Amino acid sequence: MAEYNVLLFTPKHEDEHTKNIKAFVELVSAAPELNGKIDYQSYYWHRIGNFTKLGVGSKNRETKNRLHESIVPFAKAYIKYKQIKSGASMYANFYAIRSIEAACIKAYQTVNIEKLLPKDFDQAAQEAKNKLGEGAAYQAGIKLNSLRAFLIEHKMIKPFEWKSPFSKPKDKKDLTGEAGQAYRENKMPDEEAIMAMAEIFSKNVTLLSLRDIF
């Protein structure tokens, strides 16, 4: 019986997505570095952030805690591009990249940016919820949606709708009940400190020490 090679057909749109990602990575990696202390090949970019897994501390530099190699080229290009465009802090964008990596590694053992689907973003949000605090997870959700929009705009993935599942955390000062009251009271100086301040302001400035004036 004749043997035949396995044929794998790649739809044209998927092929274009892969080409666009490759072109993006090549363009950004060739651009000047963000600052003189950055080595593009490093996983640790000075004053920008680290390409490490979700939940790993900033000082932890064990090799096993780096992002999976399948996402690193895109992750570096994406962070560098966003930093060049905005100049803002990248911490929440790192949350999004790390969350996507965690979700894909769990599901597929690798990351294929061009094949991302709504379910991958759902799982990424869940990973953020599991590993980050409430506020950080909320920020991760915002940047996951920004990542989705970026990929669609630049024709790197098939368009789809997705919404972050996280609501903005309530400010603790606005909480009601015992928890809110305790938080507000904890922010107030104690009675002794208030009386000391009142005494300082009641005296003539010539009677105050340098410490009191300060």
Side-chain angles (χ1 to χ4, degrees):
M1 183 174 180
E3 293 183 5
Y4 297 93
N5 292 326
V6 175
L7 295 178
L8 294 177
F9 172 72
T10 301
K12 186 175 181 180
H13 72 273
E14 288 189 13
D15 188 47
E16 290 301 314
H17 294 162
T18 302
K19 288 180 179 178
N20 288 337
I21 292 171
K22 182 180 179 182
F24 170 70
V25 170
E26 290 175 351
L27 174 70
V28 179
S29 62
E33 300 308 335
L34 298 168
N35 64 63
K37 293 186 178 181
I38 286 182
D39 173 8
Y40 193 80
Q41 301 306 316
S42 173
Y43 282 71
Y44 311 95
W45 286 5
H46 180 69
R47 300 185 68 178
I48 303 298
N50 301 332
F51 296 90
T52 49
K53 292 184 179 296
L54 189 65
V56 173
S58 60
K59 294 182 179 180
N60 189 321
R61 299 202 170 189
E62 293 182 68
T63 302
K64 67 179 182 180
N65 290 324
R66 295 174 178 176
L67 289 177
H68 192 269
E69 61 184 8
S70 58
I71 196 177
V72 169
F74 173 80
K76 287 183 175 181
Y78 183 70
I79 292 295
K80 182 176 178 179
Y81 183 82
K82 297 289 282 188
Q83 179 67 28
I84 290 172
K85 297 288 283 186
S86 72
S89 170
M90 290 290 105
Y91 76 94
N93 287 295
F94 272 103
Y95 290 157
I97 288 291
R98 291 166 182 162
S99 298
I100 281 290
E101 189 256 12
C104 289
I105 293 301
K106 179 177 287 187
Y108 318 114
Q109 294 75 57
T110 190
V111 183
N112 290 304
I113 295 295
E114 66 273 19
K115 294 183 179 180
L116 290 176
L117 298 169
K119 66 178 182 179
D120 300 316
F121 281 79
D122 288 338
Q123 184 58 43
Q126 185 61 49
E127 294 293 332
K129 181 179 179 180
N130 293 343
K131 295 288 182 66
L132 304 173
E134 184 181 19
Y138 170 72
Q139 293 297 326
I142 292 175
K143 296 304 181 181
L144 278 168
N145 203 28
S146 295
L147 173 61
R148 178 196 64 86
F150 173 88
L151 294 172
I152 292 172
E153 178 185 354
H154 294 88
K155 296 180 171 56
M156 297 178 184
I157 60 172
K158 184 178 180 180
F160 58 80
E161 294 297 321
W162 184 82
K163 183 179 179 181
S164 171
F166 305 122
S167 300
K168 186 175 182 179
K170 289 185 177 180
D171 193 318
K172 289 184 178 180
K173 72 177 186 298
D174 296 327
L175 292 175
T176 58
E178 294 183 4
Q181 184 64 22
Y183 176 81
R184 288 185 287 274
E185 289 180 355
N186 188 54
K187 289 294 183 180
M188 292 290 291
D190 58 33
E191 186 176 350
E192 186 176 342
I194 292 175
M195 294 305 295
M197 290 291 291
E199 183 178 354
I200 289 172
F201 278 99
S202 69
K203 291 182 179 180
N204 188 295
V205 70
T206 59
L207 300 177
L208 297 177
S209 67
L210 290 176
R211 180 174 180 275
D212 287 341
I213 293 173
F214 174 78

